[in-house]
Amino acid sequence: MKNVLMLIGGPSHPFESNGQIIKDYIESSGQYCVEMTEDHKLLNRLKNFDAVMVYTARKDLTEAQEKNLLKFVSEGGALVGIHTANVTYLDNPGGVEMLGSRFTGHGPIAEFNVEMTNSSEAIVPR
């Protein structure tokens, strides 16, 4: 079983409830155990994890936490950045480079319609 650290938290989004949906889905495969937390101090203790999933919009990452995460990834640890992950690293140049993107803002909110045409795809909920 692979261990995943899922960091959640920040303003403006329901991180805990959305994170729980993601956690439940990932764990349903039976291949992963996900520890979901808002505690970035766990970035100082990554040796028990195979992957770090970042679903946050916080800018309070310390230099040591950034360094530990960069080391973890450079040594083969997996990193998954979801939605607002690049907001977390705005003040951390190594994190921006690692993720390959920088948050600059949202475009205008707009409605759009979605039509499901192939319900056999894995991404479509059943």
Side-chain angles (χ1 to χ4, degrees):
M1 177 136 348
K2 301 280 185 174
N3 293 313
V4 178
L5 172 62
M6 183 195 309
L7 296 173
I8 62 168
S12 307
H13 295 287
F15 289 101
E16 189 169 346
S17 59
N18 289 348
Q20 189 64 50
I21 292 167
I22 295 166
K23 178 185 186 306
D24 291 346
Y25 181 77
I26 291 170
E27 288 184 337
S28 72
S29 72
Q31 297 178 31
Y32 304 96
C33 178
V34 178
E35 182 173 340
M36 186 173 72
T37 183
E38 291 189 37
D39 186 2
H40 279 89
K41 291 177 187 164
L42 287 178
L43 290 173
N44 298 322
R45 299 185 305 273
L46 292 174
K47 67 179 182 176
N48 296 324
F49 295 101
D50 300 291
V52 174
M53 181 178 295
V54 180
Y55 176 43
T56 61
R58 297 171 44 175
K59 294 190 280 182
D60 59 350
L61 204 65
T62 68
E63 188 176 319
Q65 291 166 344
E66 177 192 25
K67 183 178 178 180
N68 288 337
L69 183 56
L70 292 170
K71 182 176 187 255
F72 172 79
V73 171
S74 72
E75 293 176 350
L79 175 70
V80 179
I82 298 177
H83 185 55
T84 56
N86 59 5
V87 170
T88 299
Y89 301 103
L90 281 177
D91 298 329
N92 303 85
V96 170
E97 183 177 337
M98 178 179 52
L99 285 172
S101 66
R102 176 182 297 276
F103 181 77
T104 59
H106 283 287
I109 296 174
E111 286 188 31
F112 61 92
N113 294 319
V114 176
E115 181 180 337
M116 302 293 190
T117 60
N118 186 349
S119 64
S120 66
E121 293 296 322
I123 197 167
V124 178
R126 294 187 179 110

